[in-house]
Amino acid sequence: MSVKTQATVSLIINFLIAAVTTGIIISYFFTESTFIKSTTEIFRFFTTDSNILAAVAAVVVMIFDIKIIRGKTEKIPQAAIFFKFAGTACLMITFLTSLFYLVPMYGFSFIFGGTFFHMHLTAPLMSLFSLCLFEKSDRLSFIKSHLAYVPMAAYAAVYFVMVNVIGEANGGWRDLYSFGENGIVFITIAIIAEDIIVVNLLRIAYNLGIKKQNKQSDSNN
């Protein structure tokens, strides 16, 4: 498959990710839900935040896809790839958490039904496939790839403070994911392990087929 063909496929997939995600986020302001108490509360969910991050990353990659198609550049810059990598990692955390943690609590039809079908399933898979199959650029180094933990850690820190330090009674957040009820220590360890596994496997999957750089370049990364 030629570079321009890959860029075209990437452009289509990223457009779908960005467009559908944007449409769903907007729809939340015009629909009622017994699960969400207020429209602004949607931004407290990691599902929403990870999908927004991935949608923005998709738009950034689209810009370079267009440049490749027009012959203005030959590949997507590593900074843009890393942005997409971080967004994809967050989406895979969303997907796996939904599948193995939320489904047993709420049921498959709820967690993967309605708008959640895109937010919990199709967006993560589209982002994964476009990144690993159609957006190859320079290899992602072990050290740099682990910066993808930053958005996850930032969300976890805010969630912990708002739920456990401030508390809902004092203006904080309710425990949206019922971590307190299901054992916060166990859940925390499980999530950290999940993050590590996802980031490392995603880096390996992305690097497949990309030739290794010279030793000096690798050492600088």
Side-chain angles (χ1 to χ4, degrees):
M1 186 180 295
S2 70
V3 173
K4 288 189 176 181
T5 301
Q6 290 182 349
T8 301
V9 176
S10 172
L11 177 64
I12 294 171
I13 296 176
N14 282 302
F15 174 78
L16 290 173
I17 293 171
V20 176
T21 299
T22 300
I24 289 174
I25 297 298
I26 292 174
S27 74
Y28 287 156
F29 290 90
F30 300 96
T31 56
E32 294 183 358
S33 172
T34 56
F35 189 71
I36 301 174
K37 293 184 178 181
S38 67
T39 53
T40 56
E41 192 178 57
I42 63 173
F43 297 107
R44 299 178 184 179
F45 288 87
F46 187 72
T47 290
T48 305
D49 298 336
S50 63
N51 272 271
I52 291 175
L53 176 66
V56 175
V59 172
V60 171
V61 173
M62 283 172 59
I63 294 172
F64 294 101
D65 284 334
I66 293 172
K67 287 185 177 182
I68 292 173
I69 295 169
R70 296 179 62 188
K72 301 293 184 180
T73 187
E74 295 182 353
K75 62 182 180 180
I76 303 170
Q78 191 172 46
I81 288 297
F82 175 73
F83 192 10
K84 179 68 179 289
F85 178 88
T88 302
C90 288
L91 282 186
M92 292 312 298
I93 294 297
T94 295
F95 167 69
L96 294 173
T97 301
S98 299
L99 184 62
F100 295 110
Y101 179 71
L102 298 180
V103 165
M105 288 196 297
Y106 299 106
F108 188 90
S109 60
F110 176 73
I111 295 302
F112 289 106
T115 58
F116 287 158
F117 181 74
H118 173 77
M119 305 289 270
H120 288 163
L121 181 62
T122 60
L125 294 182
M126 284 194 296
S127 188
L128 173 66
F129 291 140
S130 66
L131 175 70
C132 294
L133 297 179
F134 307 109
E135 294 160 8
K136 300 288 189 180
S137 183
D138 296 323
R139 289 175 62 87
L140 283 168
S141 70
F142 177 85
I143 295 176
K144 287 183 179 179
S145 67
H146 282 70
L147 292 174
Y149 295 133
V150 172
M152 306 173 197
Y155 176 85
V158 172
Y159 189 91
F160 179 82
V161 171
M162 297 302 291
V163 173
N164 297 286
V165 178
I166 299 177
E168 185 178 8
N170 299 314
W173 299 352
R174 63 189 174 98
D175 190 1
L176 302 168
Y177 293 105
S178 303
F179 289 158
E181 298 177 14
N182 296 305
I184 190 170
V185 175
F186 171 77
I187 296 298
T188 299
I189 294 174
I191 291 176
I192 292 174
E194 180 185 33
D195 292 351
I196 294 172
I197 292 171
V198 165
V199 168
N200 282 283
L201 289 181
L202 185 58
R203 185 191 75 255
I204 292 171
Y206 178 79
N207 285 340
L208 285 176
I210 302 177
K211 293 181 179 179
K212 290 186 177 181
Q213 299 164 326
N214 58 54
K215 293 182 179 180
Q216 182 177 359
S217 178
D218 281 338
S219 64
N220 291 334
N221 287 335

